[in-house]
Amino acid sequence: MTTTLKQITQFLDTQNCTYQTEPENNRIHLTSEGLPVILHLEENGELLRCFIPQLLTIPAEHPYAETAMATLLHLGRELKLVRWQRNPSDGEVRITTEIPLEDGTLTPRQFQRTLTGLVDLGKLAKQRLETVLTTGDDPGMPDPSDPSTANEVLQFLQALIEAEVTGGEEFVHPLLSAHLSLLDQRFVAAITTLAHAIYAQGDLQQSEMMAGLIGNLSISIQEFPGGNFLENQNIAIAGYQLVLERFPRERSPDKYAPTLTNLGNAYRNRAEVGDNSAENLSWAIAAYQEAQEIYRHLKLFKDLAGTLNNLGIAYC
């Protein structure tokens, strides 16, 4: 049955909430526990999307950005009630949950539980991410140095890097097929830890070589046809973010732009299988747009054409 803004405001009134309605967009804005919340009725009242639009910001240039983004991936696996996203263009983090209403009527209890759950998870996540951004450590993250898993994951990662150097995906894909159980958050944590350890040594040549290998390995994992497709895309996205960190736009635009294009492709892949399509497409478009600006400036017109084609597909 169709749900209306009036019904939702009645629920909010019983809870003594202060809110503002935006009837022209079927939205309600409110603040709960210090967090901004938007309630958006979609599909003619058959879907209620609840989200916190600006939980916090993780700037790409922040020294602990990769650890924080690894935390986001872990939160997505750990807490299924909501979806966790970061916009690569400005670093904004938002969390979203949905209530399908096409086959039922929204009840006060259902609404209250959803809104309370969203806000409670938002508060916990914000505190955890703020700790990561301040200290660089995430106490809730699986520790890649844990002896029970570290050796296997790190040896697997080292073998993959060697395979990438030897022959690219022709050598990498068989290894991936033999270790599907390791392609999860532990792998993201391990590759992030390894990259940051090398970056911290201060040897620019060595760190750039590692970033290049991570970029190539990320492409191989992104294009791997086996295992969990979304997990593969998540790992590739984490890898591309590590590359962007080591090759900033102002210093290495020729490496920054193609990595942005690869990042956009991974976001688009997630959208194509229905994983929060609107947000993933918006992130893909943002990545493609920034990449095409760089290609225009560098007069790399062949690369520009390919990126514009990807941008067109994303818009389509």
Side-chain angles (χ1 to χ4, degrees):
M1 297 180 63
T2 300
T3 300
T4 65
L5 286 184
K6 183 177 179 180
Q7 290 174 287
I8 297 175
T9 58
Q10 289 173 345
F11 295 156
L12 293 171
D13 288 338
T14 63
Q15 300 169 26
N16 296 318
C17 293
T18 301
Y19 57 87
Q20 293 181 326
T21 59
E22 191 181 328
E24 65 275 15
N25 293 317
N26 282 325
R27 290 189 172 197
I28 299 173
H29 299 255
L30 66 142
T31 301
S32 180
E33 302 288 335
L35 296 177
V37 179
I38 296 178
L39 310 175
H40 188 196
L41 270 177
E42 302 178 21
E43 301 178 11
N44 297 318
E46 294 186 347
L47 177 71
L48 176 61
R49 189 188 304 274
C50 311
F51 60 95
I52 299 174
Q54 294 178 320
L55 185 67
L56 81 170
T57 299
I58 304 176
E61 66 275 11
H62 193 284
Y64 302 133
E66 292 304 324
T67 305
M69 285 184 278
T71 298
L72 277 181
L73 286 174
H74 181 63
L75 287 168
R77 292 173 56 84
E78 184 180 47
L79 305 172
K80 302 296 186 181
L81 175 64
V82 298
R83 291 196 297 271
W84 310 79
Q85 302 102 26
R86 173 185 174 274
N87 190 328
S89 63
D90 58 12
E92 174 197 340
V93 174
R94 68 161 52 186
I95 60 175
T96 307
T97 190
E98 298 174 353
I99 306 177
L101 301 170
E102 66 271 16
D103 296 323
T105 301
L106 181 65
T107 66
R109 182 183 180 189
Q110 182 184 23
F111 174 76
Q112 176 62 30
R113 290 182 62 182
T114 301
L115 180 59
T116 300
L118 176 71
V119 172
D120 287 347
L121 290 177
K123 288 169 59 181
L124 290 172
K126 184 176 182 181
Q127 182 179 21
R128 179 169 165 181
L129 287 166
E130 285 176 341
T131 299
V132 172
L133 292 172
T134 301
T135 66
D137 295 322
D138 180 1
M141 183 71 74
D143 185 1
S145 65
D146 183 346
S148 65
T149 60
N151 289 337
E152 185 179 8
V153 176
L154 290 175
Q155 287 175 8
F156 174 47
L157 174 56
Q158 183 177 2
L160 284 174
I161 291 174
E162 292 175 356
E164 185 64 50
V165 172
T166 302
E169 66 179 39
E170 181 182 352
F171 287 74
V172 169
H173 285 182
L175 269 178
L176 295 174
S177 297
H179 298 83
L180 294 179
S181 64
L182 300 182
L183 293 175
D184 56 20
Q185 183 57 43
R186 293 170 298 168
F187 188 89
V188 173
I191 198 170
T192 301
T193 299
L194 177 63
H196 284 166
I198 292 177
Y199 293 174
Q201 292 176 5
D203 186 323
L204 183 61
Q205 183 177 4
Q206 184 178 15
S207 63
E208 288 187 347
M209 181 181 67
M210 175 55 66
L213 287 172
I214 289 174
N216 291 337
L217 179 60
S218 297
I219 295 172
S220 294
I221 294 174
Q222 179 180 335
E223 296 178 351
F224 176 51
N228 185 308
F229 180 80
L230 287 177
E231 198 75 76
N232 296 344
Q233 304 311 302
N234 290 338
I235 291 172
I237 286 169
Y240 296 140
Q241 294 287 1
L242 287 168
V243 178
L244 293 175
E245 179 184 338
R246 186 46 23 185
F247 293 117
R249 176 174 178 173
E250 60 276 8
R251 192 181 74 223
S252 304
D254 58 321
K255 295 182 175 63
Y256 193 86
T259 303
L260 276 176
T261 300
N262 290 334
L263 180 63
N265 292 342
Y267 280 128
R268 202 181 80 216
N269 285 346
R270 295 203 310 193
E272 288 177 349
V273 295
D275 181 56
N276 202 19
S277 297
E279 282 79 4
N280 275 301
L281 282 175
S282 70
W283 298 339
I285 287 169
Y288 292 145
Q289 287 178 331
E290 186 177 2
Q292 64 92 12
E293 291 174 1
I294 298 171
Y295 285 138
R296 285 183 192 277
H297 179 73
L298 297 177
K299 301 187 186 303
L300 297 174
F301 298 118
K302 182 177 180 180
D303 294 318
L304 171 62
T307 299
L308 287 175
N309 182 66
N310 287 331
L311 180 60
I313 292 172
Y315 276 123
C316 184

